[in-house]
């Protein structure tokens, strides 16, 4: 099937067309064109489909080739942590351990690197048993994948142990991985063993001894805690060994995938989530501020706010009180950054507010929604009667606060450079760690959406970091609207939508006539430089969904933002939503690239039903040309490439 995908993509655009697409992006000043896709959404070939996608599969490799031919030079992955059977949200996954559900079982059965440690007949049985859904994967697919994956991995681990003497090179890699990863691997494996011991992965239901087992730095563990850990490790040695094995396979396959992406010219971006998994919360509780949780305040995106329930890093533990050296929080953060540096080219910081000016609320209030609505920012609260404990952490002074709601962006109205440095402490740790190995700062992505408090803005300005411009949320009739593309700066990241928004194809279907007209007028100003032709161009957009969508994508490329991100659903013209934030929904986190994506994409292009890269780039080039002959000539060539592709698709359709 992967060969089929390659053929379909190459049939669509010639080598010359692909070169012209890349040249257009260069002329338009687009430094990075990233495809946003989470692990579970990657397609699988028919001989590896088990109900959950993986970036390590043959299907993923074919898809990576497909997107490079469309001009993409980066992939923005989601968090890759271990999820639970009850909750498949990647943003609630583990921070260090990878998700074993992403392991490519076919490689274990057939690739020389893995010495056939998985029985191919067992794999075939599991693949044959997968209940093929009518459309894309479903919640039930995830459940099937969970059980099938662990059945296969248990079998592979058994062979790995039995054939140890025959697999010495592989065992050597395994032992090296276990040793270098011990600072997080042993803690996470211990948690897994305790879930077996207590027959539940909800650590709040464990007895007090095991709940508190890792609630301190390792050097401060009591003799009783060390003895208990030794008991668990001995009693559940086999389970712990299996956990180590799964993590070894996951990380080894990630390395292979990263190398493949680099060969294709694709940068790989990590996603540093703002939250903590239950496993991390249990194992790192000594890092957190007691009595408070992290959430999102009321905002344009979420007017009611969101009580996320995540723990809050304790500022008292940033540094050692006596020596001033890095304390437990900074040591942990450095370890996480080092792991990212070992696996990725770029970094997306999920809700950077959480590391600069986190909105927190009391964890003991029975009504969490009321608690988050009456919360406060950790470093912006010098004298709040409802939150007296926060005064000791305040960076902003009372005279620097405005008479507005304390969740408003303008609550803090001024800061000295020294105060900005204090707000930037965690970001500075991240930046210095990245800079020490030559990491390009332009590869840092900050997910700043509708809310950008003054301290956050000052910190981002200090490091030259950009924010998100999600154009589908734009109020285009408001010249000051933050989401408008013309409000962007060069370092910003611009996109029509994110993994938390509806597909653009659904959004446009839901617009009324006035919204279409408003957008048509705005896009005509952006893309049609000739005033005499602008009204007719706007009319065409307002009356043609296909042309309107082409222009909405062209709006991303016309500038000034130099970094463009496209969600896989928006690229492929999928109308379904990947995630509806703030709700528990069985449809969340399951949308994936369909197995016949290449043919489906080609067909949709002929119907103006997917992102037509040549057509949208041609529109952007004309909008930016200002008499530039090379841009205008290239725009014509791109239109020709799009026409040739459309004719080829129609010819193929007629033949069938």
């Amino acid at each position: 099937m992967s060969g089929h995908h390659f053929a379909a993509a190459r049939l669509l655009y010639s080598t010359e067309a692909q070169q012209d697409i890349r040249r257009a992006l260069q002329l338009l000043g687009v430094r990075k064109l990233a495809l946003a896709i989470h692990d579970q959404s990657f397609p699988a070939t028919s001989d590896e489909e088990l109900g959950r996608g993986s970036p390590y599969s043959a299907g993923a490799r074919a898809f990576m080739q497909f997107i490079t031919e469309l001009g993409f030079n980066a992939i923005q992955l989601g968090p890759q942590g271990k999820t639970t059977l009850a909750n498949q949200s990647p943003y609630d996954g583990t921070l260090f351990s990878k998700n074993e559900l992403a392991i490519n079982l076919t490689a274990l059965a057939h690739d020389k690197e893995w010495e056939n440690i998985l029985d191919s007949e067992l794999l075939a049985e599991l693949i044959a048993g997968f209940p093929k859904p009518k459309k894309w994967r479903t919640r039930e697919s995830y459940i099937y994948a969970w059980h099938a994956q662990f059945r296969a991995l248990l079998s592979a681990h058994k062979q790995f142990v039995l054939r140890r003497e025959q697999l010495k090179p592989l065992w050597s890699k395994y032992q090296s991985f276990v040793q270098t990863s011990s600072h997080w691997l042993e803690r996470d494996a211990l948690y897994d063993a305790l879930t077996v011991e207590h027959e539940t992965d909800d650590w709040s239901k464990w007895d007090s001894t095991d709940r508190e087992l890792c609630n301190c730095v390792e050097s401060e563990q009591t003799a009783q805690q060390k003895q208990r850990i030794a008991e668990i490790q001995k009693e559940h040695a086999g389970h712990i060994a299996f956990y180590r094995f799964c993590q070894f396979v996951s990380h080894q396959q990630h390395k292979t995938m990263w190398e493949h992406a680099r060969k294709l010219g694709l940068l790989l971006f990590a996603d540093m989530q703002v939250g903590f998994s239950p496993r991390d919360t249990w194992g790192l509780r000594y890092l957190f501020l007691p009595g408070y949780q992290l959430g999102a305040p009321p905002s344009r995106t979420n007017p009611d706010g969101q009580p996320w329930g995540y723990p809050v890093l304790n500022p008292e533990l940033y540094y050692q009180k006596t020596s001033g050296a890095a304390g437990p929080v900074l040591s942990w953060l450095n370890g996480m950054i080092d792991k990212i540096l070992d696996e990725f080219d770029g970094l997306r910081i999920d809700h950077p507010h959480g590391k600069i000016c986190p909105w927190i609320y009391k964890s003991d209030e029975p009504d969490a929604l009321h608690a988050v609505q009456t919360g406060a920012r950790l470093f912006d609260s010098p004298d709040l009667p409802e939150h007296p404990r926060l005064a000791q952490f305040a960076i902003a002074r009372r005279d620097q606060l405005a008479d507005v709601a304390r969740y408003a962006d303008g609550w803090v109205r001024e800061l000295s450079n020294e105060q900005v440095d204090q707000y930037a402490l965690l970001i500075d740790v991240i930046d210095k760690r990245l800079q020490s190995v030559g990491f390009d700062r332009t590869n840092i992505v900050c997910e700043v959406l509708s809310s950008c408090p003054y301290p956050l803005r000052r910190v981002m300005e200090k490091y030259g970091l950009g924010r998100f411009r999600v154009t589908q949320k734009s109020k285009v009739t408001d010249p000051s609207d933050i989401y408008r593309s013309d409000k962007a700066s060069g370092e910003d990241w611009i996109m029509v939508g994110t993994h938390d928004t509806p597909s653009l194809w659904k959004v446009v279907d839901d617009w009324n006539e006035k919204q279409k007209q408003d957008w048509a007028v705005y896009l005509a100003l952006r893309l049609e430089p000739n005033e005499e032709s602008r009204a007719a161009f706007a009319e065409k957009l307002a009356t043609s969904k296909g042309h309107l969508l082409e222009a909405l994508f062209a709006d991303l490329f016309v500038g000034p933002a130099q970094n463009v991100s496209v969600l896989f659903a928006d690229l492929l013209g999928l109308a379904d939503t990947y995630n509806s934030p703030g709700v528990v929904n069985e449809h969340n986190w399951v949308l994936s690239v369909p197995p016949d994506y290449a043919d489906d994409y080609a067909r949709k292009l002929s119907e103006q039903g997917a992102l037509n890269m040549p057509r949208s780039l041609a529109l952007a080039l004309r909008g930016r040309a200002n008499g530039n002959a090379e841009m205008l000539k290239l725009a014509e060539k791109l239109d020709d490439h799009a026409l040739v592709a459309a004719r080829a698709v129609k010819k193929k359709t007629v033949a069938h």
Side-chain angles (χ1 to χ4, degrees):
M1 182 173 284
S2 58
H4 171 73
H5 289 313
F6 279 108
R10 293 190 184 280
L11 173 66
L12 194 58
Y13 296 125
S14 65
T15 300
E16 181 185 0
Q18 294 169 37
Q19 292 172 344
D20 286 340
I21 287 172
R22 287 191 286 272
R23 179 56 180 160
L25 291 167
Q26 185 181 35
L27 289 174
L28 291 165
V30 177
R31 295 181 301 195
K32 296 185 182 69
L33 174 57
L35 184 87
I37 182 170
H38 291 175
D39 285 13
Q40 55 263 48
S41 296
F42 277 96
T45 61
S46 58
D47 58 353
E48 62 184 4
E49 178 64 81
L50 273 174
R52 185 191 186 275
S54 166
Y56 314 137
S57 67
R61 288 195 296 273
F63 187 66
M64 288 180 191
Q65 177 68 48
F66 171 78
I67 65 171
T68 60
E69 293 173 0
L70 298 179
F72 288 90
N73 60 10
I75 294 179
Q76 174 65 71
L77 295 177
Q80 293 191 300
K82 181 179 176 67
T83 53
T84 65
L85 185 59
N87 181 5
Q88 60 181 310
S89 168
Y91 291 93
D92 291 329
T94 50
L95 296 171
F96 285 86
S97 288
K98 289 190 182 296
N99 199 329
E100 302 96 328
L101 298 185
I103 289 174
N104 178 14
L105 297 179
T106 303
L108 300 186
H110 299 293
D111 287 6
K112 184 178 179 181
E113 177 187 9
W114 295 103
E115 299 286 351
N116 310 113
I117 59 174
L118 176 60
D119 178 50
S120 58
E121 291 186 4
L122 172 60
L123 177 60
E125 175 192 334
L126 294 173
I127 292 171
F130 172 57
K132 305 296 189 294
K134 292 181 180 179
K135 205 172 184 184
W136 298 291
R137 301 184 187 109
T138 62
R139 167 68 182 162
E140 288 70 28
S141 299
Y142 175 79
I143 294 171
Y144 180 86
W146 176 282
H147 294 293
Q149 193 83 357
F150 280 98
R151 181 182 169 191
L153 289 172
L154 283 167
S155 176
H157 178 243
K158 183 178 180 180
Q159 286 299 310
F160 184 66
V161 174
L162 287 174
R163 296 167 54 195
R164 177 173 178 171
E165 290 302 314
Q166 302 169 254
L167 305 174
K168 286 185 178 179
L170 204 55
W171 262 93
S172 179
K173 289 182 181 179
Y174 166 74
Q175 290 172 318
S176 176
F177 168 78
V178 170
Q179 182 179 2
T180 57
S181 307
S182 61
H183 66 287
W184 61 266
L185 181 59
E186 297 311 303
R187 181 184 64 237
D188 283 6
L190 179 65
Y191 184 93
D192 232 49
L194 285 165
T195 66
V196 176
E197 176 81 4
H198 294 281
E199 298 182 343
T200 176
D201 60 3
D202 182 353
W203 63 268
S204 67
K205 296 178 180 178
W206 300 350
D207 60 53
S208 58
T209 298
D210 289 347
R211 284 201 308 269
E212 301 296 324
L213 201 53
C214 288
N215 195 13
C216 61
V217 294
E218 188 175 349
S219 61
E220 296 176 1
Q221 287 175 348
T222 66
Q224 290 82 1
Q225 286 175 319
K226 291 178 180 178
Q227 181 180 351
R228 175 58 176 160
I229 290 172
E231 290 174 357
I232 293 296
Q233 289 174 332
K234 181 179 180 180
E235 184 176 351
H236 298 283
H239 192 85
I240 289 173
F242 173 65
Y243 192 91
R244 292 174 184 146
F245 165 77
C246 291
Q247 288 304 308
F248 164 64
V249 176
S250 296
H251 285 76
Q252 194 67 24
Q253 289 193 351
H254 181 89
K255 181 180 178 182
T256 301
M257 180 273 292
W258 189 22
E259 291 171 350
H260 177 73
R262 283 183 161 181
K263 288 177 183 177
L264 291 174
L266 290 169
L267 298 173
L268 206 61
F269 280 73
D271 194 339
M272 181 189 286
Q273 68 213 60
V274 72
F276 293 79
S277 71
R279 186 180 307 252
D280 292 305
T281 302
W282 169 81
L284 300 170
R285 260 184 310 148
Y286 61 92
L287 298 180
F288 306 136
L289 182 66
Y292 278 94
Q293 293 180 325
L294 181 68
S299 67
R300 170 175 161 180
T301 302
N302 294 291
D304 293 330
Q306 288 184 303
W308 291 335
Y310 296 134
V312 182
L313 293 170
N314 189 342
E316 294 182 293
L317 300 178
Y318 284 8
Y319 291 102
Q320 300 284 355
K321 292 181 180 179
T322 52
S323 66
V329 167
L330 298 192
S331 296
W332 162 81
L333 182 58
N334 278 324
M336 190 163 67
I337 293 300
D338 286 347
K339 189 171 188 293
I340 289 171
L341 287 170
D342 284 341
E343 300 173 1
F344 293 92
D345 305 293
L347 169 64
R348 174 187 183 271
I349 302 178
D350 181 43
H351 296 287
H353 318 59
K355 292 179 175 58
I356 297 170
C357 50
W359 181 264
I360 62 177
Y361 60 98
K362 293 178 180 177
S363 57
D364 59 356
E365 283 198 29
D367 186 344
L369 188 59
H370 177 264
V372 79
Q373 291 171 347
T374 55
R377 295 200 185 277
L378 177 57
F379 301 118
D380 299 358
S381 308
D383 60 353
L384 291 179
E386 311 99 302
H387 300 280
R389 287 179 56 200
L390 302 187
Q392 62 182 309
F393 304 121
I395 298 173
R397 302 188 308 270
R398 184 67 190 91
D399 63 287
Q400 295 174 315
L401 306 181
D403 187 19
V404 295
R406 57 178 176 258
Y407 55 77
D409 286 358
W411 168 254
V412 177
R413 54 185 175 80
E414 62 179 16
L415 292 169
S416 67
N417 290 336
E418 291 75 16
Q419 287 173 305
V420 173
D421 290 343
Q422 289 178 276
Y423 274 102
L425 200 150
L426 295 185
I427 297 298
D428 193 59
V429 168
I430 295 171
D431 181 70
K432 285 179 177 175
R433 204 72 169 188
L434 299 178
Q435 295 297 316
S436 69
V437 296
F439 192 96
D440 188 348
R441 189 179 284 169
T442 63
N443 286 0
I444 301 176
V445 184
C446 289
E447 191 216 17
V448 177
L449 297 168
S450 59
S451 174
C452 186
Y454 181 72
L456 174 61
R457 177 164 66 83
R458 288 289 304 276
V459 170
M460 293 178 67
E461 288 172 352
K462 175 182 177 180
Y463 294 99
L465 301 174
R467 63 174 296 161
F468 277 22
R469 307 285 177 177
V470 187
T471 59
Q472 69 165 260
K473 296 184 177 184
S474 299
K475 297 176 181 176
V476 291
T477 55
D478 179 1
S480 65
D481 186 81
I482 55 151
Y483 283 131
R484 279 176 45 141
S485 54
D486 60 352
K487 299 296 293 183
S489 58
E491 61 268 19
D492 287 344
W493 283 76
I494 192 168
M495 59 215 68
V496 295
T498 71
H499 66 264
D500 285 332
T501 62
S503 162
L504 186 66
W505 308 91
K506 175 69 165 61
V507 170
V508 172
D509 278 341
D510 290 343
W511 279 347
N512 58 38
E513 292 306 311
K514 184 179 185 308
Q515 287 173 304
K516 292 177 183 177
Q517 186 65 43
D518 289 343
W519 269 100
V521 170
Y522 172 74
L523 292 169
L525 285 169
R526 295 275 288 157
L527 300 172
E528 178 49 76
N530 188 337
E531 289 187 32
E532 295 179 358
S533 305
R534 197 170 290 155
F537 183 76
E539 180 64 19
K540 181 173 73 171
L541 300 186
T543 56
S544 168
K545 176 185 173 183
H547 287 105
L548 180 60
L549 282 157
E550 287 177 354
L552 283 162
F553 283 113
D555 184 40
L556 305 179
F557 299 111
V558 77
Q562 298 172 4
N563 305 293
V564 178
S565 177
V566 179
L567 183 69
F568 74 94
D570 290 320
L571 167 67
L572 300 175
L574 308 181
D576 296 70
T577 299
Y578 176 65
N579 176 55
S580 299
V583 299
V584 177
N585 188 323
E586 65 176 6
H587 302 296
N588 280 357
W589 316 112
V590 297
L591 184 66
S592 60
V593 175
D596 61 342
Y597 64 87
D599 285 341
D600 187 60
Y601 176 75
R603 177 185 58 78
K604 284 181 176 178
L605 282 189
S606 67
E607 302 167 356
Q608 292 184 302
L611 167 53
N612 190 321
M613 195 68 74
R615 285 283 300 135
S616 290
L617 288 175
L619 284 172
L621 285 169
R622 292 190 178 96
R624 277 277 295 277
N626 194 25
N628 183 303
E630 183 182 4
M631 283 187 168
L632 293 172
K633 183 177 180 180
L634 185 55
E636 290 182 10
K637 288 187 68 179
L638 289 168
D639 280 338
D640 288 342
H641 292 317
L643 186 60
V644 168
R647 286 172 177 167
V649 171
K650 288 180 180 178
K651 184 177 180 181
K652 182 178 179 181
T653 302
V654 170
H656 281 285

